[in-house]
């Protein structure tokens, strides 16, 4: 569990650092993010994951969908105290970092 918290702080730092390199999110993207966050905060993890999967499909080069899906998996694992999705969490985290780094270098 400690490793998951550490990587989440790192992800958040990288994501925040890359924000200036990103274009402002379009309204549909922003609305999907807010919808997914709302689902996650209400423990509707399956619905949140579906929203973030849609973001990943529609914006595969944007770290935002990967970041929020990883955050949703983390919340779900911590809530249930079941860490079977840890591998997927780390894969999403790594993809988020790669994409954020690319955006930062391009910006």
């Amino acid at each position: 569990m400690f490793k998951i918290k550490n990587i989440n702080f790192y992800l958040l730092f990288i994501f925040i650092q890359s924000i200036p390199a990103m274009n402002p999110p379009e309204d549909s993207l922003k609305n999907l993010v807010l919808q997914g966050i709302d689902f996650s905060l209400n423990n509707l993890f399956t619905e949140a994951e579906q929203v973030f999967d849609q973001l990943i499909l529609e914006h595969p080069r944007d770290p935002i969908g990967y970041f929020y899906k990883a955050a949703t998996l983390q919340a779900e694992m911590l809530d249930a105290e079941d860490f079977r999705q840890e591998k997927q969490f780390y894969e999403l985290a790594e993809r988020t970092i790669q994409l954020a780094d690319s955006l930062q270098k391009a910006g």
Side-chain angles (χ1 to χ4, degrees), residues 35-70:
Q35 181 184 29
I37 290 171
D38 187 55
F39 283 141
S40 187
L41 290 175
N42 288 296
N43 294 336
L44 299 170
F45 300 118
T46 301
E47 291 85 347
E49 288 174 35
Q50 290 171 350
V51 168
F52 298 131
D53 283 339
Q54 180 182 347
L55 278 175
I56 291 167
L57 284 173
E58 292 176 9
H59 305 275
R61 293 182 178 205
D62 193 322
I64 201 162
Y66 301 93
F67 175 80
Y68 283 110
K69 184 167 181 183

Short mmCIF file of all heavy atoms in Angstrom, two decimals, residues 35-70:
data_model
loop_
_atom_site.label_atom_id
_atom_site.label_comp_id
_atom_site.label_asym_id
_atom_site.label_seq_id
_atom_site.Cartn_x
_atom_site.Cartn_y
_atom_site.Cartn_z
N GLN A 35 -17.27 13.92 -14.85
CA GLN A 35 -18.22 12.82 -14.67
C GLN A 35 -17.52 11.61 -14.05
O GLN A 35 -18.04 10.99 -13.13
CB GLN A 35 -18.85 12.44 -16.01
CG GLN A 35 -19.86 11.31 -15.91
CD GLN A 35 -20.39 10.90 -17.28
OE1 GLN A 35 -19.70 11.03 -18.29
NE2 GLN A 35 -21.61 10.42 -17.31
N GLY A 36 -16.35 11.28 -14.57
CA GLY A 36 -15.60 10.14 -14.04
C GLY A 36 -15.17 10.36 -12.60
O GLY A 36 -15.26 9.45 -11.77
N ILE A 37 -14.73 11.56 -12.28
CA ILE A 37 -14.35 11.87 -10.90
C ILE A 37 -15.56 11.73 -9.99
O ILE A 37 -15.46 11.17 -8.89
CB ILE A 37 -13.75 13.29 -10.81
CG1 ILE A 37 -12.38 13.32 -11.46
CG2 ILE A 37 -13.65 13.75 -9.35
CD1 ILE A 37 -11.80 14.72 -11.62
N ASP A 38 -16.70 12.23 -10.43
CA ASP A 38 -17.93 12.12 -9.63
C ASP A 38 -18.28 10.66 -9.37
O ASP A 38 -18.61 10.28 -8.24
CB ASP A 38 -19.08 12.84 -10.34
CG ASP A 38 -20.33 12.91 -9.49
OD1 ASP A 38 -20.25 13.41 -8.35
OD2 ASP A 38 -21.39 12.46 -9.97
N PHE A 39 -18.20 9.83 -10.41
CA PHE A 39 -18.45 8.40 -10.22
C PHE A 39 -17.49 7.81 -9.19
O PHE A 39 -17.90 7.06 -8.30
CB PHE A 39 -18.31 7.63 -11.54
CG PHE A 39 -19.48 7.76 -12.48
CD1 PHE A 39 -19.26 7.86 -13.85
CD2 PHE A 39 -20.79 7.76 -12.03
CE1 PHE A 39 -20.32 7.96 -14.74
CE2 PHE A 39 -21.86 7.86 -12.91
CZ PHE A 39 -21.63 7.96 -14.28
N SER A 40 -16.22 8.13 -9.33
CA SER A 40 -15.22 7.58 -8.43
C SER A 40 -15.45 8.02 -6.99
O SER A 40 -15.37 7.21 -6.06
CB SER A 40 -13.82 8.00 -8.89
OG SER A 40 -12.83 7.36 -8.14
N LEU A 41 -15.77 9.29 -6.80
CA LEU A 41 -16.02 9.79 -5.45
C LEU A 41 -17.24 9.16 -4.80
O LEU A 41 -17.33 9.08 -3.58
CB LEU A 41 -16.18 11.32 -5.47
CG LEU A 41 -14.91 12.11 -5.77
CD1 LEU A 41 -15.23 13.60 -5.89
CD2 LEU A 41 -13.86 11.87 -4.70
N ASN A 42 -18.16 8.69 -5.64
CA ASN A 42 -19.36 8.03 -5.15
C ASN A 42 -19.23 6.51 -5.16
O ASN A 42 -20.23 5.79 -5.09
CB ASN A 42 -20.58 8.48 -5.95
CG ASN A 42 -20.97 9.89 -5.61
OD1 ASN A 42 -21.34 10.18 -4.48
ND2 ASN A 42 -20.84 10.79 -6.57
N ASN A 43 -17.98 6.04 -5.25
CA ASN A 43 -17.67 4.60 -5.24
C ASN A 43 -18.33 3.83 -6.37
O ASN A 43 -18.59 2.64 -6.25
CB ASN A 43 -18.01 3.96 -3.89
CG ASN A 43 -17.13 4.49 -2.78
OD1 ASN A 43 -16.03 4.97 -3.01
ND2 ASN A 43 -17.61 4.40 -1.56
N LEU A 44 -18.59 4.50 -7.46
CA LEU A 44 -19.10 3.84 -8.67
C LEU A 44 -17.90 3.62 -9.60
O LEU A 44 -17.75 4.26 -10.64
CB LEU A 44 -20.17 4.71 -9.34
CG LEU A 44 -21.41 4.98 -8.49
CD1 LEU A 44 -22.30 6.03 -9.14
CD2 LEU A 44 -22.18 3.68 -8.24
N PHE A 45 -17.03 2.72 -9.15
CA PHE A 45 -15.73 2.55 -9.80
C PHE A 45 -15.85 2.00 -11.21
O PHE A 45 -15.11 2.42 -12.10
CB PHE A 45 -14.83 1.67 -8.94
CG PHE A 45 -14.57 2.25 -7.58
CD1 PHE A 45 -14.98 1.59 -6.43
CD2 PHE A 45 -13.91 3.47 -7.44
CE1 PHE A 45 -14.73 2.13 -5.17
CE2 PHE A 45 -13.67 4.01 -6.19
CZ PHE A 45 -14.09 3.34 -5.05
N THR A 46 -16.76 1.07 -11.44
CA THR A 46 -16.92 0.50 -12.79
C THR A 46 -17.33 1.60 -13.77
O THR A 46 -16.77 1.69 -14.88
CB THR A 46 -17.97 -0.63 -12.78
OG1 THR A 46 -17.53 -1.64 -11.87
CG2 THR A 46 -18.16 -1.21 -14.16
N GLU A 47 -18.26 2.44 -13.36
CA GLU A 47 -18.71 3.53 -14.22
C GLU A 47 -17.57 4.52 -14.46
O GLU A 47 -17.38 5.01 -15.58
CB GLU A 47 -19.91 4.24 -13.60
CG GLU A 47 -21.18 3.41 -13.59
CD GLU A 47 -21.31 2.46 -12.40
OE1 GLU A 47 -20.30 2.23 -11.66
OE2 GLU A 47 -22.41 1.93 -12.19
N ALA A 48 -16.81 4.83 -13.42
CA ALA A 48 -15.68 5.75 -13.57
C ALA A 48 -14.65 5.17 -14.54
O ALA A 48 -14.15 5.89 -15.42
CB ALA A 48 -15.04 6.02 -12.21
N GLU A 49 -14.35 3.90 -14.40
CA GLU A 49 -13.37 3.27 -15.29
C GLU A 49 -13.86 3.31 -16.73
O GLU A 49 -13.07 3.52 -17.65
CB GLU A 49 -13.10 1.83 -14.84
CG GLU A 49 -12.29 1.76 -13.56
CD GLU A 49 -12.14 0.35 -13.03
OE1 GLU A 49 -12.05 -0.59 -13.85
OE2 GLU A 49 -12.13 0.19 -11.80
N GLN A 50 -15.15 3.12 -16.95
CA GLN A 50 -15.71 3.18 -18.31
C GLN A 50 -15.54 4.57 -18.91
O GLN A 50 -15.18 4.71 -20.08
CB GLN A 50 -17.18 2.77 -18.31
CG GLN A 50 -17.39 1.31 -18.04
CD GLN A 50 -18.86 0.95 -17.82
OE1 GLN A 50 -19.72 1.81 -17.69
NE2 GLN A 50 -19.13 -0.35 -17.76
N VAL A 51 -15.76 5.60 -18.10
CA VAL A 51 -15.58 6.97 -18.58
C VAL A 51 -14.12 7.22 -18.95
O VAL A 51 -13.81 7.76 -20.01
CB VAL A 51 -16.05 8.00 -17.51
CG1 VAL A 51 -15.61 9.41 -17.88
CG2 VAL A 51 -17.56 7.93 -17.34
N PHE A 52 -13.21 6.79 -18.08
CA PHE A 52 -11.80 7.03 -18.36
C PHE A 52 -11.29 6.15 -19.50
O PHE A 52 -10.40 6.58 -20.25
CB PHE A 52 -10.97 6.87 -17.07
CG PHE A 52 -11.37 7.88 -16.03
CD1 PHE A 52 -11.63 7.50 -14.73
CD2 PHE A 52 -11.52 9.22 -16.36
CE1 PHE A 52 -12.02 8.42 -13.78
CE2 PHE A 52 -11.92 10.17 -15.41
CZ PHE A 52 -12.16 9.77 -14.12
N ASP A 53 -11.87 4.97 -19.68
CA ASP A 53 -11.55 4.15 -20.86
C ASP A 53 -11.97 4.89 -22.13
O ASP A 53 -11.26 4.86 -23.14
CB ASP A 53 -12.25 2.79 -20.79
CG ASP A 53 -11.57 1.82 -19.85
OD1 ASP A 53 -10.37 2.01 -19.54
OD2 ASP A 53 -12.24 0.86 -19.41
N GLN A 54 -13.13 5.54 -22.08
CA GLN A 54 -13.59 6.32 -23.23
C GLN A 54 -12.62 7.47 -23.52
O GLN A 54 -12.28 7.72 -24.68
CB GLN A 54 -14.99 6.88 -22.96
CG GLN A 54 -15.56 7.70 -24.09
CD GLN A 54 -16.93 8.27 -23.78
OE1 GLN A 54 -17.58 7.89 -22.81
NE2 GLN A 54 -17.35 9.23 -24.58
N LEU A 55 -12.15 8.13 -22.47
CA LEU A 55 -11.16 9.20 -22.66
C LEU A 55 -9.89 8.68 -23.31
O LEU A 55 -9.32 9.32 -24.19
CB LEU A 55 -10.80 9.83 -21.31
CG LEU A 55 -11.73 10.89 -20.77
CD1 LEU A 55 -11.29 11.31 -19.38
CD2 LEU A 55 -11.78 12.08 -21.69
N ILE A 56 -9.44 7.51 -22.86
CA ILE A 56 -8.22 6.91 -23.41
C ILE A 56 -8.42 6.58 -24.89
O ILE A 56 -7.53 6.82 -25.71
CB ILE A 56 -7.81 5.67 -22.59
CG1 ILE A 56 -7.31 6.11 -21.20
CG2 ILE A 56 -6.75 4.85 -23.32
CD1 ILE A 56 -7.17 4.98 -20.19
N LEU A 57 -9.59 6.05 -25.24
CA LEU A 57 -9.87 5.73 -26.65
C LEU A 57 -9.93 6.98 -27.51
O LEU A 57 -9.42 7.00 -28.63
CB LEU A 57 -11.20 4.97 -26.76
CG LEU A 57 -11.17 3.50 -26.37
CD1 LEU A 57 -12.58 2.92 -26.38
CD2 LEU A 57 -10.28 2.71 -27.31
N GLU A 58 -10.55 8.04 -26.99
CA GLU A 58 -10.73 9.26 -27.77
C GLU A 58 -9.47 10.14 -27.79
O GLU A 58 -9.28 10.92 -28.72
CB GLU A 58 -11.90 10.07 -27.22
CG GLU A 58 -13.25 9.39 -27.44
CD GLU A 58 -14.41 10.15 -26.82
OE1 GLU A 58 -14.22 11.29 -26.34
OE2 GLU A 58 -15.53 9.59 -26.80
N HIS A 59 -8.65 10.03 -26.75
CA HIS A 59 -7.46 10.87 -26.62
C HIS A 59 -6.27 10.02 -26.16
O HIS A 59 -5.76 10.19 -25.06
CB HIS A 59 -7.71 12.01 -25.62
CG HIS A 59 -8.90 12.84 -25.93
ND1 HIS A 59 -8.86 13.90 -26.80
CD2 HIS A 59 -10.19 12.75 -25.50
CE1 HIS A 59 -10.06 14.44 -26.90
NE2 HIS A 59 -10.88 13.76 -26.12
N PRO A 60 -5.82 9.10 -27.01
CA PRO A 60 -4.79 8.14 -26.58
C PRO A 60 -3.42 8.77 -26.27
O PRO A 60 -2.62 8.18 -25.57
CB PRO A 60 -4.68 7.17 -27.75
CG PRO A 60 -5.21 7.92 -28.92
CD PRO A 60 -6.24 8.86 -28.38
N ARG A 61 -3.16 9.98 -26.75
CA ARG A 61 -1.86 10.63 -26.50
C ARG A 61 -1.92 11.64 -25.36
O ARG A 61 -0.94 12.33 -25.09
CB ARG A 61 -1.37 11.31 -27.77
CG ARG A 61 -1.03 10.29 -28.84
CD ARG A 61 -0.49 10.96 -30.05
NE ARG A 61 -0.14 9.94 -31.03
CZ ARG A 61 0.75 10.11 -31.96
NH1 ARG A 61 1.39 11.25 -32.06
NH2 ARG A 61 1.02 9.14 -32.81
N ASP A 62 -3.06 11.72 -24.72
CA ASP A 62 -3.24 12.64 -23.59
C ASP A 62 -3.15 11.83 -22.30
O ASP A 62 -3.83 10.82 -22.16
CB ASP A 62 -4.61 13.32 -23.71
CG ASP A 62 -4.77 14.49 -22.78
OD1 ASP A 62 -4.28 14.42 -21.62
OD2 ASP A 62 -5.38 15.48 -23.18
N PRO A 63 -2.35 12.25 -21.34
CA PRO A 63 -2.20 11.48 -20.10
C PRO A 63 -3.41 11.51 -19.19
O PRO A 63 -3.52 10.70 -18.27
CB PRO A 63 -0.99 12.13 -19.41
CG PRO A 63 -0.93 13.50 -19.95
CD PRO A 63 -1.46 13.43 -21.36
N ILE A 64 -4.36 12.39 -19.46
CA ILE A 64 -5.45 12.62 -18.51
C ILE A 64 -6.30 11.37 -18.26
O ILE A 64 -6.63 11.07 -17.12
CB ILE A 64 -6.30 13.83 -18.96
CG1 ILE A 64 -7.06 14.38 -17.79
CG2 ILE A 64 -7.18 13.52 -20.13
CD1 ILE A 64 -7.58 15.79 -18.01
N GLY A 65 -6.65 10.63 -19.29
CA GLY A 65 -7.46 9.42 -19.11
C GLY A 65 -6.73 8.34 -18.33
O GLY A 65 -7.29 7.70 -17.44
N TYR A 66 -5.45 8.17 -18.65
CA TYR A 66 -4.63 7.18 -17.96
C TYR A 66 -4.45 7.55 -16.49
O TYR A 66 -4.52 6.70 -15.60
CB TYR A 66 -3.25 7.06 -18.62
CG TYR A 66 -3.31 6.67 -20.08
CD1 TYR A 66 -3.33 7.65 -21.08
CD2 TYR A 66 -3.35 5.34 -20.46
CE1 TYR A 66 -3.39 7.30 -22.42
CE2 TYR A 66 -3.41 4.98 -21.80
CZ TYR A 66 -3.42 5.96 -22.77
OH TYR A 66 -3.48 5.61 -24.10
N PHE A 67 -4.21 8.86 -16.25
CA PHE A 67 -4.02 9.33 -14.88
C PHE A 67 -5.25 9.07 -14.02
O PHE A 67 -5.16 8.50 -12.93
CB PHE A 67 -3.69 10.83 -14.89
CG PHE A 67 -3.59 11.42 -13.52
CD1 PHE A 67 -2.45 11.26 -12.77
CD2 PHE A 67 -4.65 12.12 -12.97
CE1 PHE A 67 -2.35 11.80 -11.49
CE2 PHE A 67 -4.57 12.66 -11.70
CZ PHE A 67 -3.42 12.50 -10.96
N TYR A 68 -6.42 9.48 -14.52
CA TYR A 68 -7.62 9.34 -13.71
C TYR A 68 -8.08 7.89 -13.59
O TYR A 68 -8.66 7.50 -12.59
CB TYR A 68 -8.74 10.24 -14.25
CG TYR A 68 -8.52 11.67 -13.84
CD1 TYR A 68 -8.18 12.64 -14.79
CD2 TYR A 68 -8.63 12.07 -12.52
CE1 TYR A 68 -7.97 13.95 -14.41
CE2 TYR A 68 -8.42 13.38 -12.14
CZ TYR A 68 -8.09 14.32 -13.08
OH TYR A 68 -7.88 15.62 -12.70
N LYS A 69 -7.80 7.08 -14.60
CA LYS A 69 -8.13 5.66 -14.46
C LYS A 69 -7.23 5.03 -13.39
O LYS A 69 -7.70 4.24 -12.56
CB LYS A 69 -8.00 4.91 -15.78
CG LYS A 69 -8.44 3.45 -15.62
CD LYS A 69 -8.64 2.72 -16.90
CE LYS A 69 -9.10 1.30 -16.60
NZ LYS A 69 -9.25 0.51 -17.80
N ALA A 70 -5.95 5.39 -13.39
CA ALA A 70 -5.04 4.88 -12.35
C ALA A 70 -5.51 5.33 -10.97
O ALA A 70 -5.53 4.55 -10.01
CB ALA A 70 -3.62 5.35 -12.61
#
